[in-house]
Amino acid sequence: MKKHTRNIIGILILLVGIAVLSEFVFKRFDMTRDKRYTLTNSTKEILQKIDKPLKINVLLGGELSGDYRTLKNEISFLLDEFRQINPKISYQFLNPSKDFTAAQLQENGLAPAPVKTDKGVLNVYPYAQLKYDGKEGWMETLVNDPALPFEELASASTEKLEYLFMDDLRKITQTERKNIGFLVHHDELSQIHMDGFGRALADNYNVDVYIQPIQDSTYTLKQSDLKALEHFDALVVAKPTLPFTDSDKLVMDQYIMNGGKMMFLTEMVDAEMDSIFRSGKIVAFPRDLKLNEFFFNYGVRIIPAIVKDLEAAKIVLADGETTAGNVSYNTYTWPYFVRGFQAGENPITESISSVKFEFANPLELLENPNVEHTVLLATSPYTTLQPSMSLVELAEVDEIVAEEYQMGRIPLAVLAEGNLKSMFASRYERNEIPNFKSETTEGKLIVVSDGDVAKNHVLMGRPMRLGEDKFSLRPDNPRQRPVAYDNQNFLLNCIDYLLGETDFLNLKNRKLEIPVLNETKVQLDKSTWQMTNLILPAVVIWLIGLGMIWWRKKRFS
């Protein structure tokens, strides 16, 4: 057998061996600069904890448009990685038009995404079904981003697939869920106004309200409540309107000193939009919750004034009649509905666009060597303050003077963490608590200067999604969708951070670089590249031909 024949046979055997091996071993090499195809450590940890068979049915079988074929391929690559880490994970692609009836799709709330193609409108079902340990759930494989046009959702979702799948896998495979409690004995937000936040939290946590102070008619926390509160990993106080007693503050203080995390959504001025709509104007009264000393201990102070911002949210108001006799509506900037934007560097706000506040108060940070402060959200630079005990009138929408809004960015939400000290460390009340603790080394506390951040609006008696703004709706356009803000994401991120879910937050905030062509450069260099693509292949073939002639002459001369 000639030597070159043996070489050809050897190469064929090697290729066949590689093909056979590829059926049993899956491996991808991530050569991208941003490592978009490399799973994060938190994803690997969650996948490795799955100890029972997990079945994933993806409804992207059948005919698809180009963007959705790309999405399908990326999902396949991702789930292959999942399966490589944990063989208990399996998946398949199903054709919704063949494997499901219309009644089954409707029963599970699976609405098609209409995609325009050359052949007409194609109904695509961007969903996946998860089955694990007797539990079953559905997830969307598209990002929920109101800011993106519908046509861009499929391509934008490819960079968020890891988060989308891990968010739902975490929900369905969780065996131990942490507990979130709401304190409600200071006339906090009602159940219907907390529906959005509560439902969103319930996806990943056990949520409950602590009503013992109401049941025993004391309306204050007592030393005996401290043991019961240890059941909660974090406590939320959402828009209290009644003062806190010293006993309340002592129990909350010790809850924090014993490792509990707290989030306060409070305001020190009483101003409500419903009252303004009824009378056209109100007096903004100060509201003393007796929390000044408590917050001061952590280096935070809420100033009893209202923030006004030129870049605030807009509201729709009736401003007259049309020629046909109908009511006419217009959109106005309402400076009291300020928007909070990312301020300090923190995973909580890395992917937050803007959060809507209603009659928020300014926050002031005080020097405290034991506390590390991070301003999470702040206003735009174009702000001013409205003092308490002053009039707030709807007519102000026509009287905005831009020159008055020069106070710069004002903090609206602050994270305090570190070696927190007890405010009762040198007070006699400490004797009321057995095993009193005077400090905690890893304390975390978030203060937001508006309770309405967690309040979902109610429209026609039904709660809206948290962050949707009913004041942005025009009564003359019933099909209009409300403007949506990032209130829900912000609050969920706060809870995740307080409970140590920073790895998952980093996954949620992960951003991939999408290379974009420079259209100007493409137009300028178009002719050059066309000539290069035309001439270069011919030159290469000509050089190869000359090389082969030279080699044959040298070998057989």
Side-chain angles (χ1 to χ4, degrees), residues 188-430:
E188 283 82 0
L189 288 173
S190 63
Q191 182 177 353
I192 193 171
H193 289 114
M194 290 297 293
D195 181 83
F197 188 25
R199 287 179 181 272
L201 278 176
D203 285 340
N204 290 312
Y205 301 104
N206 296 324
V207 182
D208 202 357
V209 294
Y210 189 71
I211 59 174
Q212 186 59 41
I214 299 175
Q215 289 179 331
D216 60 24
S217 300
T218 60
Y219 295 94
T220 186
L221 295 173
K222 306 173 297 302
Q223 181 267 325
S224 58
D225 292 308
L226 186 57
K227 184 67 176 176
L229 291 177
E230 290 177 359
H231 166 73
F232 298 108
D233 299 283
L235 289 176
V236 179
V237 182
K239 197 173 182 177
T241 57
L242 300 177
F244 284 73
T245 65
D246 286 341
S247 181
D248 280 321
K249 289 178 278 189
L250 175 61
V251 172
M252 292 190 302
D253 173 272
Q254 284 304 287
Y255 173 79
I256 295 173
M257 294 304 112
N258 281 280
K261 317 303 179 186
M262 291 199 71
M263 180 165 67
F264 285 88
L265 310 166
T266 63
E267 53 204 51
M268 299 300 181
V269 178
D270 182 10
E272 299 295 334
M273 202 66 198
D274 291 341
S275 301
I276 295 177
F277 275 130
R278 283 195 296 268
S279 60
K281 59 184 177 181
I282 61 169
V283 176
F285 287 100
R287 175 186 288 153
D288 188 5
L289 299 176
K290 306 296 183 183
L291 285 174
N292 292 338
E293 186 181 12
F294 185 82
F295 291 147
F296 183 86
N297 182 64
Y298 303 111
V300 179
R301 180 163 59 195
I302 301 179
I303 299 174
I306 303 176
V307 181
K308 298 170 67 176
D309 194 329
L310 274 183
E311 295 189 6
K314 298 183 182 297
I315 61 173
V316 174
L317 298 174
D319 61 356
E321 292 186 359
T322 64
T323 54
N326 299 320
V327 178
S328 65
Y329 297 91
N330 207 346
T331 302
Y332 298 89
T333 298
W334 182 234
Y336 297 98
F337 282 1
V338 301
R339 293 186 294 156
F341 305 95
Q342 180 184 9
E345 293 292 329
N346 191 277
I348 293 175
T349 54
E350 190 172 332
S351 59
I352 297 299
S353 55
S354 69
V355 177
K356 185 191 174 195
F357 291 71
E358 298 180 8
F359 303 103
N361 306 151
L363 285 174
E364 182 182 5
L365 303 185
L366 309 171
E367 188 67 30
N368 190 323
N370 301 313
V371 181
E372 178 184 350
H373 292 115
T374 303
V375 178
L376 300 175
L377 297 174
T379 62
S380 81
Y382 313 107
T383 60
T384 188
L385 293 180
Q386 177 98 340
S388 58
M389 296 302 296
S390 60
L391 279 177
V392 177
E393 302 182 72
L394 271 181
E396 292 181 46
V397 296
D398 293 322
E399 301 171 358
I400 296 176
V401 181
E403 291 74 14
E404 297 177 357
Y405 292 75
Q406 302 292 332
M407 292 193 67
R409 302 196 70 185
I410 297 175
L412 300 173
V414 172
L415 166 69
E417 55 186 339
N419 185 22
L420 305 183
K421 306 289 185 181
S422 169
M423 67 173 287
F424 294 93
S426 57
R427 293 170 52 166
Y428 73 92
E429 291 98 328
R430 60 176 295 165

Side-chain angles (χ1 to χ4, degrees), residues 353-512:
S353 55
S354 69
V355 177
K356 185 191 174 195
F357 291 71
E358 298 180 8
F359 303 103
N361 306 151
L363 285 174
E364 182 182 5
L365 303 185
L366 309 171
E367 188 67 30
N368 190 323
N370 301 313
V371 181
E372 178 184 350
H373 292 115
T374 303
V375 178
L376 300 175
L377 297 174
T379 62
S380 81
Y382 313 107
T383 60
T384 188
L385 293 180
Q386 177 98 340
S388 58
M389 296 302 296
S390 60
L391 279 177
V392 177
E393 302 182 72
L394 271 181
E396 292 181 46
V397 296
D398 293 322
E399 301 171 358
I400 296 176
V401 181
E403 291 74 14
E404 297 177 357
Y405 292 75
Q406 302 292 332
M407 292 193 67
R409 302 196 70 185
I410 297 175
L412 300 173
V414 172
L415 166 69
E417 55 186 339
N419 185 22
L420 305 183
K421 306 289 185 181
S422 169
M423 67 173 287
F424 294 93
S426 57
R427 293 170 52 166
Y428 73 92
E429 291 98 328
R430 60 176 295 165
N431 298 320
E432 300 177 14
I433 304 292
N435 303 317
F436 178 88
K437 291 193 68 173
S438 59
E439 64 178 312
T440 180
T441 56
E442 297 181 354
K444 291 180 183 178
L445 179 79
I446 291 177
V447 179
V448 181
S449 62
D450 176 30
D452 292 315
V453 167
K455 176 183 177 180
N456 58 258
H457 288 174
V458 177
L459 186 64
M460 300 178 66
R462 305 180 68 176
M464 302 172 68
R465 184 181 182 273
L466 179 57
E468 291 183 338
D469 184 11
K470 73 175 182 181
F471 298 116
S472 66
L473 295 173
R474 296 179 64 98
D476 56 350
N477 184 7
R479 294 186 178 181
Q480 177 193 5
R481 295 184 62 183
V483 176
Y485 298 94
D486 264 351
N487 293 46
Q488 180 169 300
N489 280 333
F490 169 68
L491 294 177
L492 292 179
N493 289 356
C494 286
I495 295 296
D496 284 342
Y497 185 87
L498 289 176
L499 298 182
E501 300 288 346
T502 52
D503 287 342
F504 197 75
L505 269 180
N506 291 330
L507 173 60
K508 184 177 182 179
N509 297 328
R510 190 181 187 189
K511 295 179 180 178
L512 303 177

Side-chain angles (χ1 to χ4, degrees), residues 56 58 75 78-79 82 127-128 130 139-141 160-171 504:
I56 304 175
V58 186
I75 291 175
L78 178 70
L79 296 182
F82 287 1
Y127 301 96
L130 310 178
M139 61 165 285
E140 292 189 45
T141 56
K160 288 291 186 181
L161 283 178
E162 184 179 350
Y163 166 72
L164 290 173
F165 273 91
M166 293 316 301
D167 187 30
D168 283 86
L169 284 181
R170 182 177 68 156
K171 296 172 186 175
F504 197 75

